[in-house]
Structure formats: structure tokens, C-alpha cells
Amino acid sequence: MMKKLKKIASDGIITSNPTFRLVLGTCPTLALTTMAMNGIGMGLAVTFVLICSNLIVSLLRHVIPKQVRIPAYVLIIATFVTVIRLLLDKFLPDIYDSLGLFLPLIVVNCIILGRAESFASKNAPLYAVADGLFMGIGFTLALTLMGAFREILGSGMIFGIKLWDFQIAFFSSNAGAFFTYGVFIALFSLITSVVAKRKKEKTTKNNEVVCEPVAEVK
């Protein structure tokens, strides 16, 4: 069980990161990463919906008819999106206002519907919840990193704290969002490729040591 949970964690954050590897949820990624706080807010909202919808889909996976599974998933997701909207509006109105139209659009976020269809509907509730959690963490980290990068360079601030007067307005623009996204995807792919290559070389070296023939004793 622990082995599978570790794989789910690795897939959600690194191997199948929804933003940098699967390139899903690009609309909020490009639109809301002008500030790091926006990335955290959207990421946590999506994580909440992912966990709850994955759990319900997994619990009902033997009950929901295959012919209506997609409408059923959308209804489940929409329910939890409504819940998170009401909670944010009540307790965190500033974040609610900053996320704007993209908050209700979580209903059609490809990450959530994709995980419901490809994972939650085929796995037990524990694994479905873990998948939602780590996919959400991967998404949140991606948006926060991009938001911090663009906020620092675009406005000279981070989390509302002024760092310096130097600003590059390009990074606060739509073109800057696309440029930043491309740079982060490239860096993420490069880093994961290097890590995977080193891991493979280490495994091969260990296997060669294990398989080395023992000298015959005369």
C-alpha cells in the first residue's frame, strides 16, 4: 500500500505534474499567476475540489452507470465548486474577488474531470483521495512558483511586500504569462530528465556490482 501511495505522490507532484507535464488547466495558470497569492488561492481551491470529487466518484464507481458517468462527474464536481465558492465568499472575500470568474470555471477544469475519469473511477477511496491531494499539491506548487516569478520581476513585490523598485512590465502582461509558462515547462522537463538519467545510471551500476562474478576459490 505504501509503495502505491509513494508512486501516487511522485506522479502528482513530479512525474505527471498537471501543469508542467500534462499541461492541463492552462487558463487559470496563465491568467492568475500575476501574483503568488493568486496561485495559492486557486491551487488550494482546486485541491479541495479534487479531493472531494475523487472521493465521491470512487465511492460511487460501482453505482454510476457508464453511459452517464461524465454528466455524473460534472454534477459532483459542480457541487464542491459551489461549496468552495460559498466558503471563500464568506471567510476569504479578498481571494474570492481576486479569483473572479475562474473560480466557477473550476467545474470544467481538465485536471479534475480527467482524474475522476482516469483514476478515481478505477481505484479505492484511499488512493483516490491521495491522488486528488498530490495532484492538487503539484498544481498549487506550479501556480505559486510561476506567480512568485512573475510578481517579483513584474512588480518588484512578493506576497504584497515590496522588494525593490526594479520592474519589468512584460512579465505582468499576457505575453509574459506565455513566456513564463514555456520557461518553467522547459526547466521542469530538463530537471526531471537529468534526475531520471542519474537514477537510471545508479540502478544500472548497482545491478552490475550485484551481478559481478565471484572469484573461484582454489
Side-chain angles (χ1 to χ4, degrees):
M1 184 178 76
M2 289 304 299
K3 186 176 181 180
K4 185 168 183 177
L5 288 175
K6 287 181 180 179
K7 185 179 185 306
I8 291 172
S10 175
D11 286 346
I13 299 174
I14 302 173
T15 311
S16 298
N17 184 282
T19 305
F20 295 146
R21 295 292 289 182
L22 303 182
V23 195
L24 299 174
T26 54
C27 288
T29 300
L30 294 171
L32 295 174
T33 53
T34 51
M35 295 190 298
M37 187 56 69
N38 286 351
I40 293 175
M42 174 56 71
L44 293 179
V46 169
T47 301
F48 171 81
V49 178
L50 266 169
I51 293 172
C52 296
S53 60
N54 270 16
L55 174 61
I56 300 302
V57 169
S58 179
L59 290 171
L60 300 178
R61 66 189 186 281
H62 299 306
V63 177
I64 300 174
K66 291 184 178 180
Q67 296 83 351
V68 296
R69 68 187 188 284
I70 299 301
Y73 298 163
V74 171
L75 180 61
I76 292 168
I77 294 167
T79 300
F80 290 110
V81 170
T82 302
V83 171
I84 193 65
R85 287 183 65 193
L86 292 173
L87 289 174
L88 288 176
D89 188 24
K90 176 67 176 178
F91 298 106
L92 297 169
D94 291 339
I95 293 179
Y96 178 84
D97 292 336
S98 66
L99 298 182
L101 180 63
F102 291 95
L103 195 55
L105 285 178
I106 292 176
V107 174
V108 292
N109 192 305
C110 299
I111 301 171
I112 302 173
L113 188 58
R115 299 318 295 174
E117 170 68 9
S118 65
F119 193 92
S121 63
K122 299 178 177 66
N123 289 273
L126 175 62
Y127 298 129
V129 168
D131 178 76
L133 173 64
F134 289 108
M135 279 287 167
I137 290 174
F139 182 68
T140 304
L141 289 174
L143 264 64
T144 304
L145 287 173
M146 286 184 60
F149 180 81
R150 292 181 64 196
E151 185 177 6
I152 290 171
L153 293 181
S155 63
M157 302 174 67
I158 183 68
F159 295 112
I161 301 173
K162 192 171 185 61
L163 300 177
W164 49 62
D165 294 327
F166 177 73
Q167 299 175 8
I168 305 176
F170 170 76
F171 288 100
S172 298
S173 67
N174 295 333
F178 279 98
F179 177 80
T180 302
Y181 198 13
V183 168
F184 270 82
I185 290 175
L187 287 174
F188 189 83
S189 298
L190 178 62
I191 293 170
T192 52
S193 296
V194 171
V195 171
K197 183 178 180 181
R198 289 182 179 179
K199 185 177 180 180
K200 184 177 180 181
E201 290 175 351
K202 184 177 180 180
T203 302
T204 303
K205 185 177 181 180
N206 290 339
N207 290 338
E208 289 175 352
V209 171
V210 172
C211 297
E212 184 178 347
V214 180
E216 182 179 353
V217 180
K218 296 183 178 179

